[in-house]
Amino acid sequence: MSSLNYHCPAAGRHLDKRMKRCQIGIMREKELRLALICYGGISLAVYMHGISKEIWHVARASHAHITGATPLSGSAKVYQHLLAEMEHQCGLRLRILPDIIAGASAGGINGIFLGQAIASGQSLEPLTQLWLNGADIERLLDPEARRTSLIANAWAVPFARSLIGAQDEAVEASVSAEARTEVRRKLAQFVRSRWFAPPFGGAEFCTMLLDAFDAMAASPPGPRLLPVSQPLDLFVTVTDFFGYKQALRLNSPSMISETEHRLTLSFQDQGAGLGDAASMAYAARATASFPGAFPPFTVGEIDEVLAHRDAHWGERNAFLARVLPKGCADPDQVVLIDGSVLANAPFKPAIAALKDRPARREVDRRFVYIDPTPGGAAIGATIGAQSRSPGFFATIIGAISGIPREQPIHDSLEAIESRSMQISRMRRVIAALEPEVEASIEKMLGSTWFLDHPTAERLRLWRTRAHDRATKAAGFAYAAYGHIKLSGVIEDAARLIARAQGDEGVEAMAGIRAQLLEHARARKIDRMTTQNGGAAAEPVAFFRAHDVRFRIRRLRFVARQLADVDAFEPDHRACAVTMRAHVFAALAAYLDREAQGFYAGLDLSDPVAALDRIARRRDLVSADDAADALLATALDDCAKTVRRKVLLAYLGFGYYDIATLPLLQGEGLDEFDPIRVDRIAPDDATAIRTGGAKAVLKGIEFHNFGAFFSRAYRENDYLWGRLHGADRLIDIIVSTLPRDMCLPEHTIVAAKQAAFRAILDEERSRLTAIPELIARLDQEIASIKRENA
């Protein structure tokens, strides 16, 4: 595809607007932030790898587009060109940032490797080789299981047939003709392997994972695919087989403990990497320890593998202390099994990670979940299920695997929807308050105040006067607002101190919080108002020294007021875009003060003394002066309408914050736009072929173990994963365009067709076991254009 034509005849009324924007140099900037949720799927990991690989290519294309790097090749080149055309024709400069990844089981492995590629700039290609070459029954079988003879295990064959059905019948019913010989041979070897002990080898799996990480490290390095200021959060779920005690507070008795088995291993990269390859291999091996197939995982297994490789795990003890439950007496005794047993769709940690995301420009936040078999179980698990009761083995498999994995995600989607509704509610409240707030500010400063040159000193004085006026106008509501702010500052300080002390447990946090609250009471910081209704001096001084979140909320509010460029007159739109960039520049200094690393080297052992040390390091008064100076300089060059909009928002924010923070339960919303949820699944990617997983995937056979039995199956599923990933990612990218812009359907089809062809061209020489499929796909992709003409 040498060129894409993005002129939209059906939307001709918008063409002049777009062209006008280009002529006056207006460029709207937006970040498409992807929180990826990667389900478990056993051998369908190969399919999910194909999807994650396209996500990696999209991130590479976005980075190259933003930095002006050399054009890429393959499907990444198609995405890069699409982004360039959206910028040129629509005036939208889009950056795509996969900054949160959460996975379970097979999805956990793919998430870990994708996170490593994004954070380090390393290639994801070695993982492709791992899945295609290594994810095979013959490679995965434990050496002891391979040596087991048919005679020794003849008694176990009836159990095997009860588990997966009679071999010949199952193969004839569900295996493609060209793969039956290979599948029969490997299936026979599998059922002859040892029974009542896991057939797959844990050490072999560990070795394969470490080999893949070594191969990634040896690949030509590239750039980190996220901005320096943007963290990458990675979560994988595991199941602690024996469980750990978790303290719970009650009224009576005051404290009890329960056994918790869910465990989430977390990694964060803020520019220094996710961690040692051994740490990530630990997480990958643990999350995919499928019950009955792999032995349960302990750290001793990877210790032995590393010793055999003569490899050093430098952060071993620190890593185990961080990720395992607090109070774990002996990390060597912790036994972990597959994360999907209890948490196959790990939305919860991804939602929690939204709290402190830095946002320096407009954000379009998406939760994208990858589900290889939506709404249905694997082939084999459902054969005859409607006509007879489940048998002994089918019941066990359903209990430990099928039912937990197939649980709906209503709760997670409702949590996301609740957050989005909360954001929409705040927008309505702010819109309703706007006339009254603006009238109050104008009355206070005079009708021509916005015509004056807004120096830094004037901004500071105006801010103080406006905030005092908002405080008095709030009346009794201000006391509640002040206590919510105080609680938030105390909670943030307690968390900062607890992290520095290395213990964020319930008891540690409660102790620090109690000391800080007692300190606040002793200094009368909790006395919010004076007798005449104004704000008391003690809490005002405390908030000036500590309340960094108020400053962040204020500047983000101003940026949102400038988000709709079309609300301004055409001659003023470029000024609004420039002003918005200065607002985000002012915001950067406050965001830096949110990072744990900003306080490196401080002695935070004594919580009360730590408060003063944190305040001195923050020096928020100096940051305020710098922000005022930056904004004043930008405002001086602004058109009057833009200047008025900014000043009313900046000075009037206290009114809005007093009204909305209690509704937000003390939580400021960094990403203030409603979250949208997208799914990538065979049912959704229909540009080439419809029919869902059963129409295209081979790994769904044998309870989702199918791709382990055939190289051709793995190649098939990997290729479809890439094609489906491209299909859906182009849909998601295009959906970021504002409502007044559009791309015609034939243009979107052309982009998808170009991506599909690029993928086939990249994979022809590697995928040698499926030439017939590739030939059919060539024809099907060629027919897309005719069908949509």
Side-chain angles (χ1 to χ4, degrees):
M1 179 177 63
S2 59
S3 176
L4 291 177
N5 176 17
Y6 285 95
H7 170 62
C8 182
R13 63 185 181 279
H14 302 307
L15 179 59
D16 291 341
K17 183 183 291 185
R18 296 204 305 268
M19 295 303 296
K20 181 66 174 178
R21 284 180 181 169
C22 294
Q23 290 169 8
I24 63 176
I26 296 175
M27 186 61 62
R28 181 171 181 170
E29 293 189 349
K30 181 188 285 189
E31 291 179 355
L32 170 60
R33 296 188 178 181
L34 304 179
L36 304 170
I37 312 298
C38 307
Y39 284 19
I42 314 177
S43 78
L44 291 172
V46 184
Y47 170 75
M48 290 187 286
H49 168 62
I51 296 172
S52 68
K53 195 168 185 179
E54 288 310 298
I55 295 170
W56 174 59
H57 283 315
V58 163
R60 293 175 62 230
S62 173
H63 182 274
H65 170 63
I66 293 296
T67 61
T70 304
L72 304 173
S73 60
S75 62
K77 181 179 180 179
V78 178
Y79 305 134
Q80 188 178 5
H81 187 79
L82 176 62
L83 293 171
E85 288 297 313
M86 288 171 64
E87 179 173 324
H88 176 68
Q89 297 292 344
C90 301
L92 178 67
R93 186 171 179 81
L94 183 69
R95 181 159 197 174
I96 304 168
L97 305 176
D99 66 334
I100 299 174
I101 303 173
S105 193
I109 296 177
N110 282 308
I112 289 168
F113 278 91
L114 176 60
Q116 174 70 351
I118 291 170
S120 68
Q122 296 170 358
S123 172
L124 201 58
E125 289 294 337
L127 185 59
T128 302
Q129 298 307 116
L130 167 68
W131 288 129
L132 293 181
N133 298 333
D136 189 276
I137 288 292
E138 293 180 333
R139 289 282 303 275
L140 293 171
L141 281 177
D142 186 278
E144 289 297 322
R146 293 192 193 108
R147 287 192 287 269
T148 305
S149 68
L150 174 61
I151 296 175
N153 276 338
W155 59 272
V157 173
F159 292 97
R161 288 179 174 172
S162 298
L163 180 64
I164 60 175
Q167 291 182 47
D168 289 340
E169 292 179 9
V171 171
E172 287 291 336
S174 62
V175 176
S176 303
E178 64 272 15
R180 285 173 189 163
T181 300
E182 179 187 13
V183 171
R184 281 194 177 100
R185 175 175 59 81
K186 292 179 178 178
L187 186 58
Q189 182 179 3
F190 181 67
V191 298
R192 286 199 299 267
S193 66
R194 63 189 180 193
W195 278 82
F196 300 108
F200 296 156
E204 286 68 30
F205 194 16
C206 267
T207 298
M208 290 168 57
L209 293 167
L210 289 166
D211 286 345
F213 279 117
D214 288 347
M216 287 182 70
S219 64
R224 184 178 188 265
L225 299 180
L226 296 176
V228 174
S229 59
Q230 187 71 22
L232 170 65
D233 283 292
L234 169 66
F235 307 97
V236 293
T237 61
V238 298
T239 303
D240 187 330
F241 185 80
F242 293 114
Y244 56 95
K245 296 299 182 182
Q246 188 172 52
L248 297 175
R249 290 181 175 274
L250 303 179
N251 177 58
S252 176
S254 60
M255 185 74 67
I256 66 169
S257 64
E258 289 192 347
T259 301
E260 175 64 81
H261 294 272
R262 293 170 298 181
L263 190 62
T264 300
L265 309 184
S266 63
F267 300 82
Q268 187 178 75
D269 170 50
Q270 293 186 325
L274 287 169
D276 283 0
S279 299
M280 288 182 285
Y282 175 102
R285 168 66 179 89
T287 192
S289 183
F290 189 83
F294 288 97
F297 174 70
T298 65
V299 70
E301 179 183 288
I302 196 169
D303 284 339
E304 291 181 8
V305 172
L306 291 170
H308 181 74
R309 299 165 71 93
D310 196 24
H312 180 59
W313 186 4
E315 65 174 18
R316 178 190 188 275
N317 293 337
F319 169 76
L320 294 176
R322 180 177 66 81
V323 301
L324 294 181
K326 299 300 178 186
C328 176
D330 187 358
D332 291 354
Q333 300 302 313
V334 174
V335 177
L336 303 176
I337 61 174
D338 196 283
S340 66
V341 170
L342 295 177
N344 189 48
F347 278 84
K348 186 175 180 180
I351 294 172
L354 290 175
K355 181 180 178 183
D356 297 319
R357 312 310 289 180
R360 288 174 166 84
R361 55 188 54 82
E362 183 181 358
V363 171
D364 187 335
R365 166 61 70 185
R366 305 294 180 91
F367 270 67
V368 179
Y369 69 98
I370 302 172
D371 184 358
T373 56
I379 292 178
T382 58
I383 294 176
Q386 302 300 320
S387 60
R388 56 187 172 85
S389 298
F392 175 71
F393 281 104
T395 302
I396 293 175
I397 288 180
I400 67 173
S401 171
I403 292 175
R405 289 168 182 269
E406 296 297 332
Q407 280 300 290
I409 58 172
H410 293 161
D411 292 347
S412 299
L413 294 183
E414 285 175 0
I416 294 172
E417 178 63 19
S418 175
R419 189 180 189 276
S420 296
M421 290 176 62
Q422 188 179 46
I423 292 170
S424 297
R425 189 183 309 122
M426 293 307 100
R427 286 179 161 181
R428 292 194 297 271
V429 169
I430 288 169
L433 289 175
E434 190 172 286
E436 296 179 31
V437 173
E438 291 186 357
S440 179
I441 295 296
E442 290 183 341
K443 182 179 179 180
M444 178 184 70
L445 298 177
S447 60
T448 61
W449 60 274
F450 62 89
L451 299 177
D452 296 334
H453 293 291
T455 63
E457 179 61 20
R458 283 179 175 174
L459 279 182
R460 184 182 66 79
L461 292 174
W462 289 346
R463 275 195 297 104
T464 302
R465 289 175 60 188
H467 197 74
D468 288 344
R469 191 178 182 93
T471 300
K472 291 178 180 178
F476 288 111
Y478 180 78
Y481 165 74
H483 280 288
I484 289 172
K485 290 220 300 178
L486 177 60
S487 295
V489 171
I490 293 293
E491 192 66 24
D492 287 344
R495 187 177 296 107
L496 181 65
I497 294 166
R499 271 182 201 159
Q501 295 178 357
D503 186 358
E504 295 183 68
V506 173
E507 289 297 310
M509 282 287 291
I512 295 171
R513 192 184 299 114
Q515 291 184 62
L516 296 180
L517 287 172
E518 180 58 35
H519 173 69
R521 284 191 288 269
R523 290 179 52 186
K524 299 183 179 179
I525 296 170
D526 61 339
R527 307 284 180 86
M528 293 298 160
T529 58
T530 62
Q531 290 184 348
N532 64 6
E538 291 82 2
V540 167
F542 182 79
F543 292 143
R544 282 177 177 167
H546 289 282
D547 194 0
V548 65
R549 286 186 177 271
F550 173 84
R551 277 84 164 184
I552 292 172
R553 292 195 301 272
R554 178 172 60 200
L555 287 173
R556 286 196 170 130
F557 177 75
V558 176
R560 288 193 297 274
Q561 297 301 100
L562 295 167
D564 186 5
V565 174
D566 290 328
F568 299 95
E569 299 174 17
D571 293 342
H572 299 161
R573 290 170 185 166
C575 173
V577 172
T578 302
M579 187 68 230
R580 198 162 186 264
H582 280 79
V583 171
F584 278 113
L587 178 63
Y590 297 116
L591 293 175
D592 290 342
R593 286 161 168 78
E594 287 279 271
Q596 187 84 16
F598 189 82
Y599 307 95
L602 280 186
D603 178 6
L604 304 182
S605 56
D606 178 2
V608 174
L611 269 182
D612 290 334
R613 295 185 181 123
I614 291 170
R616 286 195 295 271
R617 176 67 63 88
R618 275 180 175 151
D619 193 9
L620 287 179
V621 174
S622 294
D624 293 341
D625 292 341
D628 287 340
L630 184 60
L631 293 181
T633 300
L635 285 167
D636 199 38
D637 294 331
C638 261
K640 294 175 183 178
T641 55
V642 177
R643 185 188 307 166
R644 183 178 185 276
K645 188 78 169 177
V646 171
L647 287 174
L648 286 172
Y650 191 58
L651 303 180
F653 177 70
Y655 290 88
Y656 298 113
D657 204 45
I658 290 170
T660 60
L661 193 64
L663 296 178
L664 293 171
Q665 298 178 342
E667 294 289 344
L669 296 174
D670 295 343
E671 298 175 359
F672 202 73
D673 293 298
I675 298 170
R676 290 189 278 180
V677 181
D678 298 295
R679 185 180 72 174
I680 300 179
D683 300 54
D684 313 316
T686 58
I688 300 176
R689 192 182 296 178
T690 61
K694 292 183 179 180
V696 295
L697 299 185
K698 303 296 185 181
I700 58 176
E701 297 170 6
F702 298 120
H703 302 279
N704 285 348
F705 278 83
F708 291 151
F709 289 93
S710 170
R711 164 85 185 207
Y713 279 16
R714 293 192 294 279
E715 291 188 5
N716 175 92
D717 289 2
Y718 162 68
L719 181 58
W720 276 111
R722 289 201 65 184
L723 295 170
H724 285 174
D727 189 347
R728 294 293 292 127
L729 286 167
I730 289 174
D731 288 338
I732 292 168
I733 290 170
V734 170
S735 71
T736 63
L737 287 169
R739 285 175 294 180
D740 65 333
M741 304 177 189
C742 76
L743 295 179
E745 182 64 25
H746 68 80
T747 299
I748 300 171
V749 170
K752 290 184 178 183
Q753 194 174 34
F756 298 154
R757 285 173 174 163
I759 291 168
L760 290 188
D761 289 344
E762 283 184 286
E763 299 294 350
R764 286 180 201 278
S765 60
R766 172 162 43 198
L767 306 183
T768 57
I770 53 170
E772 296 85 359
L773 173 62
I774 293 177
R776 287 197 303 273
L777 285 170
D778 276 327
Q779 297 174 356
E780 292 178 61
I781 291 168
S783 70
I784 294 173
K785 184 175 182 181
R786 292 194 297 272
E787 292 172 0
N788 289 274

